[in-house]
Amino acid sequence: MEALQTTSSVSEEARSLRGLPPGPRLPGLVQVGQFVRDRLGMLERCAKRYGEFFTVRFPWETIVFTWNPDAVKQIFSGDPATYFAGQGNNILRPFLGDYSVLLLDGPEHLRQRRLLLPPFHGERMLAYADLIREITLAEIARWPRGRAFPVHPSMQEITLEVIMRAVFGMESGERHDRLRETLKQVLDEGARSILVFLPFLQFDLGGLTPYARFKRRMDEVDRLLFDEIAERRAKGGASGRADILSMLLEVVDEDGQPMTPQELRDELLTLLVAGHETSATSLAWVFYYLLSDTAALARAREEVFRVTGDGPPRPEHVGELRYLDAVVKETARLRPIIVFVARALQQPVELGGYRLPAGVTVAPCIYLTQRRPDLYPEPDRFRPERFLEGRQTPYEYFPFGGGVRRCLGMAFAQYEMKVVLATVLSRLALALPADSDVRPVRRAITLAPSDGTRVIAADVATAH
Ligand code: HEM
């Protein structure tokens, strides 16, 4: 059942529908406070008390959460003109720009998405294995041996460099180094505080405010990116290169129009923001769960050595790493770094026996759905075998969201994570320190391990 007609033509069935689902009756600001402090706890309490549909009220937004797979299916396969996702990301506009696929809705969103899709097809990923492996080897060569250190910052270094090289296609050199440094500063500031993104705090005061600093850095990022785009276009687009910018330089829309420099710049920054921290945090969680489970770790290492032989992984190995694939998937089930996705209703909709008015946001909850005991027996247990034994529908398992908004970088991220993990496992024996104590903490929009997943590394040769 899709969007309703006008009130005068509402059916008998619709008349019998209830209004918004139940939810906490506390004032909006208190609900915001609870949500910011402990969103998983709040979602769990609401699910227990109110069931598969519940309403959370913020002063600026009413959100109906669901963890019912039929409702998730209805939302993900619904008309994109009814379910808007882009406007909710508006706060990122000063960084990502007006053409960002993350911010658009309707036909403009579909246009950008169609242009971006081809370079992200699964089979293209093979081209990146060697690059990701080399970046990983260079990073782990710097890891200390025999004492605990957090892997999360190191994963950020790897995923940033992967984006600089595989997505932007930038070779080492002065422009690469300056862009990398400036982006790190901007991303770090954005992850620590969203204040620079709030419109009412965007004033300059002679260049002294955090916003002024942010603006200066963004001007530098733009200059470097536009220079790179112009130089590459002048050299003739892809010319045998496999990076994503090279491919985007060649795509044309239905009218035969290529992407403009501004569109290219906006999408490159979107891919960076959507793909850097998410992949790094996911990897940090995979290390945590894998190292917490001796049997899973032994099985993963055995697979890596059997498939890759003595050396680190090559492109043809990645598809063979089935248990590692299951480890990555089970980690994303148990600890999705994005807890829910959101769609703002542009028309009234019937969902799960409720009649929801336009203006309400519906939120398929990744975290709650993926811990349903009927779908995942012993849901709190890390058991990668689940993903070797059965298949889940895209409405029962959706760490990358769904429908026309599903993560564009899903295949890229899963491939990258497997290459990084296999490379690390092929070279190092890892363990968690005895005092390891990890909780999920909020970092920008993701939930990250509180201690950055501290590990102790030893070279494989010395570990045997
Ligand atoms: C493990 C890592 C990642 C996770 C968990 C993740 C998760 C997500 C989620 C939950 C969404 C929202 C989907 C929705 O609203 O239904 C999304 C969107 C998106 N992701 Fe990812 N992502 C990851 C890595 C990446 C990478 C590596 C890239 C690109 C290089 C990327 C690019 C995007 C883009 C462009 C969108 C917006 C799609 C649209 O609005 O049409 N992501 N991602």
Side-chain angles (χ1 to χ4, degrees):
M1 187 82 200
E2 213 21 302
L4 289 172
Q5 309 298 308
T6 54
T7 333
S8 55
S9 61
V10 168
S11 65
E12 274 310 310
E13 186 191 69
R15 241 177 246 137
S16 68
L17 293 172
R18 291 158 289 166
L20 288 175
R25 302 220 151 268
L26 300 161
L29 273 179
V30 179
Q31 299 199 34
V32 175
Q34 288 187 339
F35 194 77
V36 169
R37 235 185 358 265
D38 176 21
R39 70 179 70 179
L40 295 184
M42 180 174 178
L43 290 169
E44 275 169 355
R45 283 194 300 278
C46 287
K48 211 165 171 184
R49 178 143 186 215
Y50 305 111
E52 291 177 302
F53 299 86
F54 55 87
T55 306
V56 171
R57 289 180 178 82
F58 297 154
W60 62 87
E61 193 176 18
T62 299
I63 309 181
V64 172
F65 284 92
T66 180
W67 42 291
N68 171 299
D70 291 335
V72 174
K73 179 175 183 181
Q74 181 185 333
I75 295 166
F76 283 166
S77 47
D79 182 353
T82 300
Y83 298 94
F84 272 21
Q87 62 184 32
N89 298 323
N90 230 338
I91 196 166
L92 295 171
R93 194 172 297 271
F95 187 43
L96 301 184
D98 293 338
Y99 295 100
S100 165
V101 71
L102 265 177
L103 307 187
L104 295 169
D105 280 303
E108 290 83 17
H109 166 257
L110 284 181
R111 176 178 184 276
Q112 289 298 325
R113 192 170 163 101
R114 269 193 214 113
L115 292 169
L116 287 173
L117 268 172
F120 283 100
H121 275 160
E123 71 275 13
R124 299 254 192 195
M125 299 307 126
L126 290 176
Y128 304 126
D130 292 340
L131 180 64
I132 299 169
R133 183 192 63 230
E134 292 315 310
I135 292 172
T136 307
L137 285 173
E139 181 62 28
I140 63 178
R142 289 191 280 269
W143 285 6
R145 307 296 196 257
R147 72 173 164 79
F149 70 98
V151 286
H152 190 195
S154 198
M155 293 301 120
Q156 289 170 317
E157 295 292 330
I158 292 174
T159 60
L160 180 58
E161 189 59 15
V162 168
I163 293 203
M164 296 285 299
R165 309 275 293 277
V167 178
F168 295 5
M170 289 184 81
E171 313 283 353
S172 359
E174 201 196 323
R175 191 184 294 147
H176 165 284
D177 295 350
R178 291 191 61 175
L179 184 59
R180 192 186 149 101
E181 264 330 290
T182 320
L183 283 172
K184 268 172 79 168
Q185 291 162 346
V186 177
L187 288 168
D188 198 49
E189 209 149 272
R192 267 187 288 120
S193 156
I194 58 157
L195 292 183
V196 288
F197 295 127
L198 297 177
F200 56 91
L201 291 178
Q202 289 174 355
F203 44 84
D204 197 290
L205 287 184
L208 295 174
T209 60
Y211 176 68
R213 201 169 51 231
F214 168 78
K215 185 81 183 50
R216 263 198 312 277
R217 288 185 180 139
M218 281 314 295
D219 289 347
E220 172 80 346
V221 166
D222 283 356
R223 191 181 62 72
L224 295 164
L225 273 180
F226 282 127
D227 284 354
E228 180 74 15
I229 291 167
E231 195 178 293
R232 299 270 287 282
R233 186 153 263 166
K235 280 189 190 154
S239 49
R241 299 167 58 131
D243 62 87
I244 285 173
L245 171 58
S246 293
M247 284 181 262
L248 293 179
L249 283 164
E250 306 243 295
V251 297
V252 286
D253 66 12
E254 300 92 70
D255 306 325
Q257 292 303 312
M259 292 174 80
T260 64
Q262 188 66 48
E263 283 176 306
L264 287 164
R265 173 265 180 220
D266 290 359
E267 299 310 1
L268 289 180
L269 283 183
T270 300
L271 297 173
L272 169 80
V273 163
H276 156 61
E277 184 71 30
T278 45
S279 307
T281 308
S282 300
L283 274 163
W285 279 119
V286 176
F287 278 110
Y288 172 70
Y289 281 105
L290 191 57
L291 302 186
S292 306
D293 183 329
T294 334
L297 178 61
R299 189 164 172 188
R301 294 189 68 201
E302 183 278 321
E303 179 182 76
V304 169
F305 286 111
R306 182 166 39 79
V307 171
T308 70
D310 274 348
R314 311 235 154 248
E316 64 276 17
H317 293 144
V318 184
E320 301 286 302
L321 297 168
R322 297 210 173 79
Y323 188 69
L324 213 54
D325 184 67
V327 165
V328 168
K329 289 188 172 137
E330 173 69 342
T331 305
R333 178 193 71 79
L334 200 54
R335 195 51 77 201
I337 52 149
I338 294 173
V339 173
F340 62 91
V341 292
R343 307 286 187 264
L345 295 183
Q346 304 304 300
Q347 299 175 53
V349 159
E350 288 173 15
L351 190 76
Y354 296 96
R355 182 155 187 269
L356 311 180
V360 159
T361 295
V362 288
C365 187
I366 303 173
Y367 175 76
L368 291 173
T369 311
Q370 295 183 169
R371 288 206 184 206
R372 287 181 68 108
D374 56 341
L375 300 175
Y376 304 97
E378 295 185 88
D380 298 337
R381 231 184 101 196
F382 176 72
R383 212 175 68 79
E385 286 73 14
R386 299 177 206 275
F387 288 90
L388 300 173
E389 290 157 4
R391 280 186 79 81
Q392 292 68 30
T393 72
Y395 317 111
E396 297 167 346
Y397 180 75
F398 49 98
F400 292 93
V404 295
R405 305 305 298 226
R406 196 185 75 180
C407 176
L408 269 167
M410 182 174 96
F412 187 94
Q414 289 179 327
Y415 192 84
E416 177 182 13
M417 288 194 280
K418 280 182 274 184
V419 177
V420 171
L421 284 165
T423 306
V424 173
L425 293 179
S426 74
R427 286 297 159 99
L428 298 172
L430 298 176
L432 295 179
D435 61 349
S436 172
D437 174 24
V438 173
R439 287 168 294 109
V441 288
R442 194 170 54 80
R443 212 184 120 83
I445 56 156
T446 63
L447 284 184
S450 52
D451 74 346
T453 305
R454 285 186 312 130
V455 306
I456 302 174
D459 291 301
V460 165
T462 57
H464 281 308

